[in-house]
Every structure is written in C-alpha cells, then in structure tokens.
Amino acid sequence: MPSQREIRRRIGAVKNIRQITRAMQFVAASKLKRAQESTLAARPYGTSIDEVIADLAAVLGVEGHPLLRTPEAGSAKLLVLFTSDRGLAGALNSNLIRHALKELESAGEGTRIVTVGKKGRDALARGGYEITAAFPGFGDKPTFADVTPLVRLLVDDFLGGRAASVTLIHPVFVSTLVQRPEAVQLLPIRPSADTAGIPGNQFLFEPDPATVLEALLPRYTATRVFQAVLESTACEQSSRMVAMKNATESASDIIAAQTLIYNKVRQANITREMIEIASGASAA
C-alpha cells in the first residue's frame, strides 16, 4: 500500500498534467473555429472550378492541355502525404500513414513520395522508404503563397515526365469527431463527369476556351493543393481538441480514484493510531 505522501505526489502530478491538457484543448478549440471556417469557405470555389474545367474539357478534349494528358508509360507515380508537424492529435497521423502505406503497396515499385509535415516524413523514413522531397507543415494559418513551392515541384515533375500521376493523401474534415483519410488524384486532371447536358453551353469563353484553359489549370492545381492543406489544418486542430479533452477527462478520473485511495489510507492510519493509543492506555 503506498504512503499518503506518495499518493499526494501522484495526485499533484496528475493535476499538473490535467492543467496542461485543458489549456491545449482550449487553444485547439480556438484554432479549430478559424480553420473550419477557412476550409468550408474554400470548398465552393473548388466546386465551381470543377464545373468550368468540365465545360472546357468537353469543348477541347483531354489533349487540350499538358496537365490533362497522361504521360507515356514508364513514369513512376508520385504520392504526396499530408501530416502534422506535432503529435498529441489522436489517431490522425497514424491513420494517414496507414492509408499511405496501403497506397504505396497498390502503386507498385518505383513510386516516389513527397511529404508535408514531420510526422509523415519520420514514419516513412523509419520504414525505409526513400523520400523525394519533404516540406514542413504550413502552420495554423496557411496562405495560398505558402503552397507555391510544393505546387511548382508537382507540376514540374508531371510535365517533365518524371511522374505518371500525382495523388494527394490528406484527411478530409467531416465533423469535429470525424476526420477521414482520402487519396485524391491531382494530376493528370480529370474533369468532373457530372456534366448533365451542360458541357460546352454553360459558359461563354473570352478570348477562347484554349486561352482560358491555359490560365485556369495551373490555378486549379494550386487550389486543390491549398484545399488539402486547409483540410489537414482543420483536421489536426479538431483531432487535437478531442484528444486533449479525453486526456483531461481521464486525468480527472485518475485524480478521483487516487483521492479515494488516499482517504482510505488516511482512515486506516488514523484507526491504527487510535488502536495503538488505546492499547498503550490499557497496558498502563
């Protein structure tokens, strides 16, 4: 049976941990609101670009731009894994890494990897995978300019024939409690098949569809990568908030259990002392 002093130390240590996890929970909750608003606000923009590209592709065909064409056989696939730089985010990173490993198995040999975030880079490096390029996370307030170097790398590899396809592996923010890992093909761009009789007639293009497509596709690629970054940021903050909330509740349960043990030990010590006093008095 531990002594009262040991139990008090345990309770004090758990209280300190609970104070930290509660603070992290509140910080993540405040960051989540901003990240969630940014993510949800960016989705309609991506949907609208999909509609325009579908209309353009229907007019020009898939050979109308290099980003729409599939490179010649022999090029390796390129996977881009988005994870966080920091831990304490529940199962978010482990689920993403597990999903990426499945994609690597199905992609076959020669697949190249680009990581965004330290957790994914470290996990794949420990697994013996060769990483083509590694980018740190883009922080709690990512901007469109932050993703420019990553987008340039992906587009250059695809146009240069070094990548047959580019797939983004990132979490999708469904709700505060649900973040789903997803693999989405970025390049070659596949226009939406849901055109419902509107291709070629939904928009009037000036000066001409080819010029509009030339300007739009690079922007579309950057938008998709930026959307993946926003989704990852919202998922990270959401997962961290839930994880820290669970940790705080677990700490409270431990404190309650240790307090009960402390009271039992204290009561047993008082009873023993009273018996010793009574025995000493009767012996005298």
Side-chain angles (χ1 to χ4, degrees), residues 77-83 100 104 111-117 120-121 124 129-136 138 149-151 153-154 157 163 166-169 225:
K77 295 182 179 180
L78 180 62
L79 299 182
V80 185
L81 174 61
F82 292 82
T83 57
L104 283 169
T111 303
R112 300 164 63 230
I113 306 170
V114 173
T115 61
V116 178
R121 179 200 66 189
L124 294 180
Y129 293 94
E130 183 178 353
I131 299 174
T132 301
F135 291 82
F138 296 108
L150 173 60
V151 174
L153 171 67
L154 302 180
D157 276 11
V166 178
T167 300
L168 305 180
I169 301 175
V225 174

Side-chain angles (χ1 to χ4, degrees), residues 37-215:
E37 290 175 351
S38 300
T39 300
L40 297 180
R43 286 179 180 175
Y45 181 77
T47 302
S48 299
I49 285 187
D50 279 341
E51 294 177 359
V52 177
I53 289 179
D55 216 44
L56 284 165
V59 175
L60 298 174
V62 295
E63 299 299 322
H65 193 277
L67 294 180
L68 294 170
R69 295 194 293 267
T70 302
E72 298 179 359
S75 300
K77 295 182 179 180
L78 180 62
L79 299 182
V80 185
L81 174 61
F82 292 82
T83 57
S84 66
D85 279 340
R86 297 175 296 166
L88 299 178
L92 176 67
N93 290 317
S94 59
N95 288 339
L96 285 167
I97 294 167
R98 192 179 303 113
H99 194 77
L101 292 176
K102 291 180 180 179
E103 290 292 328
L104 283 169
E105 290 178 2
S106 61
E109 296 182 0
T111 303
R112 300 164 63 230
I113 306 170
V114 173
T115 61
V116 178
K118 296 179 181 178
K119 291 299 180 179
R121 179 200 66 189
D122 295 344
L124 294 180
R126 286 194 301 268
Y129 293 94
E130 183 178 353
I131 299 174
T132 301
F135 291 82
F138 296 108
D140 300 327
K141 298 179 181 179
T143 63
F144 200 82
D146 293 335
V147 304
T148 300
L150 173 60
V151 174
R152 187 180 298 115
L153 171 67
L154 302 180
V155 172
D156 288 348
D157 276 11
F158 181 76
L159 295 180
R162 293 182 294 276
S165 64
V166 178
T167 300
L168 305 180
I169 301 175
H170 63 87
V172 175
F173 181 82
V174 179
S175 66
T176 304
L177 298 176
V178 180
Q179 300 87 38
R180 183 178 64 249
E182 191 172 273
V184 181
Q185 180 175 307
L186 176 68
L187 298 172
I189 296 173
R190 290 286 179 256
S192 174
D194 186 16
T195 52
I198 59 174
N201 300 313
Q202 186 181 11
F203 304 100
L204 295 176
F205 299 102
E206 292 292 343
D208 57 78
T211 303
V212 175
L213 189 66
E214 182 71 27

Side-chain angles (χ1 to χ4, degrees), residues 275-284:
I275 293 174
E276 291 175 354
I277 293 174
S279 299
S282 60

